[in-house]
Amino acid sequence: MAVPGVLFFAFFAVAPMVLAVYLSFTTWNGLGDPKPVGLANWQKLLHDDRLTQSLTVTTLLTVTSWAFQTVVSLLLGVWAAGRQRNRAVLSAIFFVPFLLSSTAIALLFYALLDPNFGVIHQDTLGSTSGAFLAIVFVGGWQFIPFHTLIYQGGARQIPEVLYQAAAIDGAGRYRQFFSITLPQLRNTATTSSVLMIVGSLTYFETVLILTQGGPGTDTAILPYLMYEAGFKSYDFGYASAIATFLVVIATALSLVLVRLTGFGAMRSTREGM
């Protein structure tokens, strides 16, 4: 039963990663056969002045996106887990942005942010802060519904008896939220955070369409640096080194996050228990 899934993962995930690692030790312009160059691409990566800037921008984007998406999706998820009127209809509407492609969403907001014909008659994407915040907002607008669904599922697994006992003791809604809901959702928050961090590290379409790494190179994140190396300079060996570097960073951050939060030790099938 697992063979189709395993083959799909091996062909579309493992094989490309192995190929990228191999190409990172070669020089190749997309034509002919790759030629081995040893550690030349990795030495170039470590001495590339743009790497420091791209790492800084990528880190800021990851942290800001995580903070923005976590707060909003947590509140929406807990709300959607309740028994409010029209909750199911509103939850379905909130989920619609996640069904759209990143390219379509980026094109939509690019038109909306056009200084001449958009809804905001200012060159938002022409300033460093405006371009950065636009990327954060557009990414959040698309992926918050997905993380809301994760938090909604986690909130529904919290035993109702905890809230009943808290109510008997006189705890109000806010006290219940901070003393029961948040602690009980710690493993859900870990899962969501890992997905957010990995997703933020692989932003590409939004940056390419909205800012193209600009203004200047102020939003040139690592995936965009990889794109420039591969499809503008046709240096696929160096682009593969950047891609491999991204995989290592994303994997390391995920493992550290899981280790620090104790998520790996959680064995219960019910959140927080």
Side-chain angles (χ1 to χ4, degrees):
M1 294 290 290
V3 170
V6 172
L7 291 177
F8 183 87
F9 179 77
F11 186 77
F12 290 102
V14 177
M17 283 193 291
V18 172
L19 180 60
V21 173
Y22 165 72
L23 290 177
S24 68
F25 297 98
T26 67
T27 178
W28 187 45
N29 62 359
L31 300 174
D33 297 326
K35 298 180 181 179
V37 292
L39 298 174
N41 289 320
W42 291 96
Q43 292 174 349
K44 179 181 177 181
L45 178 64
L46 295 177
H47 294 88
D48 193 341
D49 294 335
R50 298 176 301 171
L51 178 64
T52 302
Q53 183 189 19
S54 294
L55 274 174
T56 302
V57 174
T58 304
T59 302
L60 287 174
L61 178 64
T62 301
V63 173
T64 307
S65 297
W66 173 82
F68 172 56
Q69 294 182 32
T70 296
V71 172
V72 178
S73 59
L74 172 61
L75 295 177
L76 286 176
V78 172
W79 172 84
R83 299 184 178 87
Q84 298 86 353
R85 243 179 119 182
N86 301 322
R87 175 186 52 79
V89 175
L90 291 176
S91 297
I93 294 174
F94 291 156
F95 196 73
V96 168
F98 184 68
L99 302 178
L100 305 176
S101 70
S102 299
T103 302
I105 291 175
L107 288 172
L108 171 65
F109 278 94
Y110 183 78
L112 292 175
L113 295 174
D114 187 280
N116 298 314
F117 307 103
V119 295
I120 302 177
H121 298 291
Q122 294 181 357
D123 190 9
T124 304
L125 299 177
S127 66
T128 301
S129 58
F132 182 83
L133 292 177
I135 295 171
V136 172
F137 177 80
V138 172
W141 189 81
Q142 180 181 10
F143 293 109
I144 280 176
F146 173 71
H147 296 283
T148 295
L149 191 64
I150 294 177
Y151 281 109
Q152 180 185 18
R156 286 183 175 178
Q157 293 298 314
I158 301 176
E160 187 67 25
V161 66
L162 296 179
Y163 296 102
Q164 294 172 354
I168 293 175
D169 290 338
R173 180 176 299 179
Y174 293 102
R175 181 61 183 274
Q176 292 179 20
F177 177 77
F178 287 103
S179 298
I180 298 177
T181 305
L182 281 183
Q184 292 290 315
L185 289 177
R186 62 185 182 275
N187 293 313
T188 301
T190 301
T191 302
S192 175
S193 296
V194 169
L195 294 175
M196 285 183 189
I197 291 173
V198 174
S200 297
L201 289 173
T202 56
Y203 272 165
F204 174 69
E205 304 99 318
T206 304
V207 175
L208 176 65
I209 295 173
L210 284 182
T211 67
Q212 295 186 357
T217 57
D218 290 338
T219 58
I221 57 177
L222 281 173
Y224 188 80
L225 198 67
M226 176 184 65
Y227 162 77
E228 283 192 327
F231 296 97
K232 286 189 175 182
S233 301
Y234 296 102
D235 189 352
F236 290 101
Y238 185 52
S240 298
I242 299 176
T244 305
F245 182 63
L246 267 172
V247 172
V248 172
I249 291 178
T251 304
L253 286 176
S254 300
L255 293 176
V256 169
L257 187 59
V258 170
R259 179 73 174 179
L260 292 178
T261 57
F263 180 82
M266 195 268 289
R267 291 291 181 269
S268 175
T269 57
R270 298 192 68 180
E271 173 62 69
M273 299 298 289

